[in-house]
């Protein structure tokens, strides 16, 4: 176990989550969410769950980003609230 | 999407990446019964390779992988998985118990190949379903 790596992964994960909620540009929000999923996959792999990590890397960091970008084509880039 | 940007870099990189993604997806599917991964993860990777073609090549990709193919592949996978599960019920076992009466194969070997084919059919199902979801989203839900 490398506790420092765990700690900094967790800190960056929380920062990415807050940034994805707070950023005004929805395209940037999708990018940050994809980065969040990738860090999540790293953390899963480090916690000894390679099966879950593979799923998270393929679905969360791959296809979810594409589907959200495709939704942005229809709803536009600007956040309403 | 109706228009696309002509980009040599995007086109070349997509053409180079798609076969590598597919080979790794086949590796993940066929080794799913004794290593991390399996039908779902490999099927997601296969769908990702097709969606990379869709994003980078635009309307040209519909000639290679037509719009109807996604739902046909998903239906084939679901039907074959259900048949594999019900086949052992014909021989007196439970659903997906692989209690088939194949001569010359022990119970362990039957279970090995049963799980292998279940993973392959799940891979087909997930591959086709995710490509079909992408195609439905791209057209806005209308044909």
């Amino acid at each position: 176990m490398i506790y420092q790596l765990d700690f900094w992964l967790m800190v960056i994960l929380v920062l990415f989550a807050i940034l994805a909620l707070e950023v005004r540009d929805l395209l940037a929000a999708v990018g940050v969410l994809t980065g969040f999923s990738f860090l999540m996959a790293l953390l899963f792999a480090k916690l000894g769950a390679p099966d879950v990590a593979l799923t998270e890397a393929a679905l969360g960091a791959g296809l979810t980003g594409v589907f959200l970008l495709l939704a942005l084509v229809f709803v536009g880039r600007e956040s309403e609230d | 999407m109706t228009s696309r940007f002509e980009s040599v870099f995007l086109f070349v990189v997509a053409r180079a990446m798609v076969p590598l993604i597919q080979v790794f997806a086949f590796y993940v599917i066929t080794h799913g019964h004794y290593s991390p991964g399996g039908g779902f993860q490999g099927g997601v990777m296969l769908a990702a390779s097709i969606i990379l073609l869709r994003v980078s090549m635009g309307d040209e990709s519909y000639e290679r992988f037509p719009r109807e193919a996604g739902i046909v592949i998903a239906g084939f996978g679901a039907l074959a998985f259900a048949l594999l599960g019900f086949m052992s019920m014909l021989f007196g076992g439970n659903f997906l118990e692989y209690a088939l009466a194949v001569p010359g194969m022990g119970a362990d070997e039957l279970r090995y190949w049963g799980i292998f084919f279940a993973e392959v059919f799940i891979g087909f199902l997930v591959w086709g379903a995710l490509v079909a979801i992408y195609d439905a989203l791209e057209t806005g839900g209308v044909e």
Side-chain angles (χ1 to χ4, degrees), chain A residues 13-76:
Chain A
L13 204 62
V14 171
L15 285 182
F16 268 36
I18 294 172
L19 195 61
L21 285 176
E22 290 297 323
V23 74
R24 310 301 302 169
D25 188 0
L26 289 182
L27 189 63
V30 171
V32 174
L33 195 67
T34 307
F36 173 82
S37 288
F38 184 71
L39 286 179
M40 203 79 180
L42 280 183
L43 206 56
F44 279 140
K46 209 188 149 298
L47 288 173
D51 214 350
V52 186
L54 204 55
T55 312
E56 182 74 27
L59 257 187
L63 284 185
T64 308
V66 176
F67 286 165
L68 287 176
L69 283 181
L70 207 52
L72 284 192
V73 173
F74 295 102
V75 302

Side-chain angles (χ1 to χ4, degrees), chain B residues 19-66:
Chain B
L20 296 177
I21 294 174
Q22 286 177 347
V23 165
F24 185 61
F26 282 126
Y27 170 80
V28 168
I29 289 178
T30 52
H31 291 72
H33 48 310
Y34 56 84
S35 72
F40 185 80
Q41 286 88 348
V44 170
M45 286 177 198
L46 277 177
S49 72
I50 300 295
I51 288 172
L52 181 59
L53 275 185
R54 288 269 199 273
V55 171
S56 62
M57 292 174 65
D59 292 338
E60 267 177 68
S61 71
Y62 291 110
E63 298 163 11
R64 309 281 180 89
F65 194 92

